[in-house]
Amino acid sequence: MPPLNRHDLKVSVFVGLFAGILALPTAYHLEIYGINAFTAFATVAGLTVFTPFGYLVAYGLSRWFPWTVQFVKFGIVGGLNAMVDLGVLNFLIYLTGIANGWQYGLFKSISFVFGVTNSYLWNRNWTFHSESQEKTMEFAKFFYVNII
C-alpha cells in the first residue's frame, strides 16, 4: 500500500470546508433547519471532518481495492459540485428574492455553469490528474456531455 498522500488529505479538508460553506445558503432558503450560529458551525464543521474521514476510509480500503481512493475522490468532487450548483442558485435567490419565473431559469443556468466548471477543474486536476494540453476542447466536450 502506498504511503498516505497528505496533499490529497489536505484537499479533502478544503473541499469539505468549502462544501459546508456552500450548504448554508441552500439550508437557509429551503428552511431545512433554523439557521443560527450553532447550526451553521455544525454544518461547516461536520462536512469539514466527514470529507477527509471518507478519504481516510478509502485509503484504508485501497489495500484490498486499489480503485477506492479515486472512486471516493470522484464522489467528494461530485458532492462539492452539487453544493456549488445549489449554493450558487440559492445565493442568487437570496440576493434577489426571486424564486420563480424566467429569472429562476437564468439563475439555474448560472449555477449549472458554475457546477460544471467546478466539476471539470476538480476532476481534471485532482481526481484523474490529466496532463492533456487540449484543455479548451476537452472542456467543451465535458460541458457538452453535461448539458445532455
Side-chain angles (χ1 to χ4, degrees), residues 1 13 16 39 41 54-55 57 62 67 78 81 99-100 109 121 127-128 131-133 135:
M1 183 161 80
V13 170
T39 55
F41 175 78
Y55 176 80
V57 169
S62 70
W67 49 267
N81 298 334
N100 55 25
S109 297
L121 293 172
T127 306
F128 302 109
E131 297 291 334
S132 171
Q133 297 301 315
K135 295 176 186 174

mmCIF file of all heavy atoms in Angstrom, residues 1 13 16 39 41 54-55 57 62 67 78 81 99-100 109 121 127-128 131-133 135:
data_model
loop_
_atom_site.group_PDB
_atom_site.id
_atom_site.type_symbol
_atom_site.label_atom_id
_atom_site.label_comp_id
_atom_site.label_asym_id
_atom_site.label_seq_id
_atom_site.Cartn_x
_atom_site.Cartn_y
_atom_site.Cartn_z
ATOM 1 N N MET A 1 0.867 -1.181 0.000
ATOM 2 C CA MET A 1 0.000 0.000 0.000
ATOM 3 C C MET A 1 0.908 1.237 0.000
ATOM 4 O O MET A 1 1.816 1.339 0.813
ATOM 5 C CB MET A 1 -0.899 -0.026 1.234
ATOM 6 C CG MET A 1 -1.886 1.106 1.283
ATOM 7 S SD MET A 1 -3.289 0.826 2.382
ATOM 8 C CE MET A 1 -2.600 1.200 3.951
ATOM 9 N N VAL A 13 -9.953 18.116 3.133
ATOM 10 C CA VAL A 13 -10.372 19.022 4.210
ATOM 11 C C VAL A 13 -10.897 20.318 3.610
ATOM 12 O O VAL A 13 -11.964 20.814 3.982
ATOM 13 C CB VAL A 13 -9.212 19.304 5.188
ATOM 14 C CG1 VAL A 13 -9.570 20.430 6.151
ATOM 15 C CG2 VAL A 13 -8.832 18.051 5.955
ATOM 16 N N GLY A 16 -14.282 19.771 1.944
ATOM 17 C CA GLY A 16 -15.333 19.660 2.960
ATOM 18 C C GLY A 16 -15.709 21.006 3.541
ATOM 19 O O GLY A 16 -16.895 21.315 3.719
ATOM 20 N N THR A 39 -25.960 25.939 14.291
ATOM 21 C CA THR A 39 -26.236 25.032 13.172
ATOM 22 C C THR A 39 -25.338 25.335 11.983
ATOM 23 O O THR A 39 -24.937 24.426 11.264
ATOM 24 C CB THR A 39 -27.713 25.087 12.755
ATOM 25 O OG1 THR A 39 -28.071 26.427 12.459
ATOM 26 C CG2 THR A 39 -28.613 24.530 13.845
ATOM 27 N N PHE A 41 -22.240 26.521 12.204
ATOM 28 C CA PHE A 41 -20.942 25.960 12.575
ATOM 29 C C PHE A 41 -20.953 24.440 12.466
ATOM 30 O O PHE A 41 -20.008 23.833 11.966
ATOM 31 C CB PHE A 41 -20.562 26.392 13.997
ATOM 32 C CG PHE A 41 -19.294 25.750 14.480
ATOM 33 C CD1 PHE A 41 -18.067 26.228 14.055
ATOM 34 C CD2 PHE A 41 -19.336 24.656 15.332
ATOM 35 C CE1 PHE A 41 -16.890 25.626 14.475
ATOM 36 C CE2 PHE A 41 -18.169 24.048 15.755
ATOM 37 C CZ PHE A 41 -16.932 24.532 15.333
ATOM 38 N N GLY A 54 -13.906 10.250 5.005
ATOM 39 C CA GLY A 54 -14.221 9.380 3.872
ATOM 40 C C GLY A 54 -12.987 9.052 3.053
ATOM 41 O O GLY A 54 -12.791 7.912 2.610
ATOM 42 N N TYR A 55 -12.123 10.049 2.875
ATOM 43 C CA TYR A 55 -10.880 9.821 2.137
ATOM 44 C C TYR A 55 -9.997 8.819 2.889
ATOM 45 O O TYR A 55 -9.415 7.919 2.282
ATOM 46 C CB TYR A 55 -10.129 11.134 1.921
ATOM 47 C CG TYR A 55 -8.794 10.925 1.249
ATOM 48 C CD1 TYR A 55 -8.713 10.739 -0.121
ATOM 49 C CD2 TYR A 55 -7.623 10.874 1.991
ATOM 50 C CE1 TYR A 55 -7.500 10.513 -0.743
ATOM 51 C CE2 TYR A 55 -6.398 10.654 1.380
ATOM 52 C CZ TYR A 55 -6.345 10.471 0.021
ATOM 53 O OH TYR A 55 -5.139 10.239 -0.591
ATOM 54 N N VAL A 57 -10.949 6.472 5.008
ATOM 55 C CA VAL A 57 -11.556 5.137 4.892
ATOM 56 C C VAL A 57 -11.199 4.524 3.537
ATOM 57 O O VAL A 57 -10.814 3.351 3.448
ATOM 58 C CB VAL A 57 -13.086 5.202 5.098
ATOM 59 C CG1 VAL A 57 -13.754 3.884 4.705
ATOM 60 C CG2 VAL A 57 -13.417 5.577 6.535
ATOM 61 N N SER A 62 -7.982 0.789 0.215
ATOM 62 C CA SER A 62 -7.197 0.663 -1.019
ATOM 63 C C SER A 62 -6.186 -0.478 -0.939
ATOM 64 O O SER A 62 -5.647 -0.893 -1.966
ATOM 65 C CB SER A 62 -6.496 1.982 -1.349
ATOM 66 O OG SER A 62 -5.454 2.253 -0.428
ATOM 67 N N TRP A 67 -8.833 0.809 -6.380
ATOM 68 C CA TRP A 67 -9.629 1.850 -7.042
ATOM 69 C C TRP A 67 -10.406 2.724 -6.071
ATOM 70 O O TRP A 67 -10.984 3.738 -6.461
ATOM 71 C CB TRP A 67 -10.596 1.210 -8.041
ATOM 72 C CG TRP A 67 -11.376 0.070 -7.451
ATOM 73 C CD1 TRP A 67 -11.038 -1.249 -7.495
ATOM 74 C CD2 TRP A 67 -12.586 0.143 -6.701
ATOM 75 N NE1 TRP A 67 -11.972 -2.003 -6.818
ATOM 76 C CE2 TRP A 67 -12.940 -1.158 -6.317
ATOM 77 C CE3 TRP A 67 -13.410 1.186 -6.307
ATOM 78 C CZ2 TRP A 67 -14.072 -1.452 -5.572
ATOM 79 C CZ3 TRP A 67 -14.540 0.897 -5.559
ATOM 80 C CH2 TRP A 67 -14.857 -0.408 -5.203
ATOM 81 N N GLY A 78 -18.070 15.138 -6.711
ATOM 82 C CA GLY A 78 -19.490 15.163 -7.060
ATOM 83 C C GLY A 78 -20.326 15.854 -6.001
ATOM 84 O O GLY A 78 -21.224 16.642 -6.310
ATOM 85 N N ASN A 81 -19.680 19.504 -6.285
ATOM 86 C CA ASN A 81 -20.371 20.064 -7.453
ATOM 87 C C ASN A 81 -21.836 20.339 -7.138
ATOM 88 O O ASN A 81 -22.378 21.376 -7.529
ATOM 89 C CB ASN A 81 -20.279 19.112 -8.648
ATOM 90 C CG ASN A 81 -18.869 18.898 -9.084
ATOM 91 O OD1 ASN A 81 -17.991 19.726 -8.876
ATOM 92 N ND2 ASN A 81 -18.618 17.758 -9.690
ATOM 93 N N ALA A 99 -37.651 33.548 -6.801
ATOM 94 C CA ALA A 99 -37.517 32.096 -6.776
ATOM 95 C C ALA A 99 -38.375 31.408 -7.831
ATOM 96 O O ALA A 99 -38.577 30.200 -7.769
ATOM 97 C CB ALA A 99 -37.877 31.563 -5.396
ATOM 98 N N ASN A 100 -38.892 32.157 -8.796
ATOM 99 C CA ASN A 100 -39.667 31.541 -9.875
ATOM 100 C C ASN A 100 -39.639 32.450 -11.094
ATOM 101 O O ASN A 100 -39.069 33.532 -11.069
ATOM 102 C CB ASN A 100 -41.097 31.231 -9.425
ATOM 103 C CG ASN A 100 -41.797 32.461 -8.888
ATOM 104 O OD1 ASN A 100 -41.469 33.588 -9.236
ATOM 105 N ND2 ASN A 100 -42.779 32.238 -8.023
ATOM 106 N N SER A 109 -29.324 28.366 -14.768
ATOM 107 C CA SER A 109 -28.305 28.273 -15.819
ATOM 108 C C SER A 109 -26.947 28.733 -15.303
ATOM 109 O O SER A 109 -25.917 28.099 -15.569
ATOM 110 C CB SER A 109 -28.700 29.121 -17.030
ATOM 111 O OG SER A 109 -29.886 28.633 -17.596
ATOM 112 N N LEU A 121 -12.731 21.212 -13.423
ATOM 113 C CA LEU A 121 -11.446 21.588 -12.835
ATOM 114 C C LEU A 121 -10.987 20.603 -11.757
ATOM 115 O O LEU A 121 -9.819 20.179 -11.752
ATOM 116 C CB LEU A 121 -11.518 23.004 -12.272
ATOM 117 C CG LEU A 121 -11.686 24.108 -13.314
ATOM 118 C CD1 LEU A 121 -11.943 25.453 -12.640
ATOM 119 C CD2 LEU A 121 -10.477 24.176 -14.232
ATOM 120 N N THR A 127 -8.960 14.405 -9.210
ATOM 121 C CA THR A 127 -9.431 13.025 -9.260
ATOM 122 C C THR A 127 -8.665 12.198 -10.280
ATOM 123 O O THR A 127 -8.163 11.124 -9.980
ATOM 124 C CB THR A 127 -10.939 12.977 -9.591
ATOM 125 O OG1 THR A 127 -11.626 13.804 -8.666
ATOM 126 C CG2 THR A 127 -11.470 11.572 -9.527
ATOM 127 N N PHE A 128 -8.570 12.696 -11.510
ATOM 128 C CA PHE A 128 -7.959 11.928 -12.592
ATOM 129 C C PHE A 128 -6.619 12.492 -13.041
ATOM 130 O O PHE A 128 -5.921 11.882 -13.822
ATOM 131 C CB PHE A 128 -8.918 11.845 -13.791
ATOM 132 C CG PHE A 128 -10.226 11.225 -13.424
ATOM 133 C CD1 PHE A 128 -11.376 11.986 -13.362
ATOM 134 C CD2 PHE A 128 -10.315 9.878 -13.113
ATOM 135 C CE1 PHE A 128 -12.595 11.424 -13.023
ATOM 136 C CE2 PHE A 128 -11.527 9.304 -12.763
ATOM 137 C CZ PHE A 128 -12.665 10.079 -12.719
ATOM 138 N N GLU A 131 -2.842 15.438 -17.852
ATOM 139 C CA GLU A 131 -1.754 16.288 -18.336
ATOM 140 C C GLU A 131 -2.014 16.754 -19.773
ATOM 141 O O GLU A 131 -1.135 17.321 -20.403
ATOM 142 C CB GLU A 131 -0.418 15.532 -18.280
ATOM 143 C CG GLU A 131 0.011 15.151 -16.888
ATOM 144 C CD GLU A 131 0.412 16.361 -16.047
ATOM 145 O OE1 GLU A 131 0.823 17.385 -16.624
ATOM 146 O OE2 GLU A 131 0.297 16.281 -14.820
ATOM 147 N N SER A 132 -3.213 16.516 -20.269
ATOM 148 C CA SER A 132 -3.552 16.867 -21.642
ATOM 149 C C SER A 132 -3.366 18.355 -21.898
ATOM 150 O O SER A 132 -3.663 19.195 -21.056
ATOM 151 C CB SER A 132 -5.006 16.482 -21.929
ATOM 152 O OG SER A 132 -5.416 16.994 -23.171
ATOM 153 N N GLN A 133 -2.874 18.679 -23.081
ATOM 154 C CA GLN A 133 -2.664 20.072 -23.463
ATOM 155 C C GLN A 133 -3.884 20.674 -24.151
ATOM 156 O O GLN A 133 -3.960 21.872 -24.327
ATOM 157 C CB GLN A 133 -1.438 20.182 -24.392
ATOM 158 C CG GLN A 133 -0.148 19.747 -23.722
ATOM 159 C CD GLN A 133 0.180 20.558 -22.485
ATOM 160 O OE1 GLN A 133 0.070 21.776 -22.491
ATOM 161 N NE2 GLN A 133 0.568 19.892 -21.415
ATOM 162 N N LYS A 135 -6.857 21.644 -23.389
ATOM 163 C CA LYS A 135 -7.786 21.984 -22.319
ATOM 164 C C LYS A 135 -9.099 22.555 -22.842
ATOM 165 O O LYS A 135 -10.167 22.223 -22.347
ATOM 166 C CB LYS A 135 -7.138 22.969 -21.349
ATOM 167 C CG LYS A 135 -5.978 22.380 -20.612
ATOM 168 C CD LYS A 135 -5.311 23.419 -19.742
ATOM 169 C CE LYS A 135 -4.064 22.825 -19.121
ATOM 170 N NZ LYS A 135 -3.282 23.786 -18.393
#
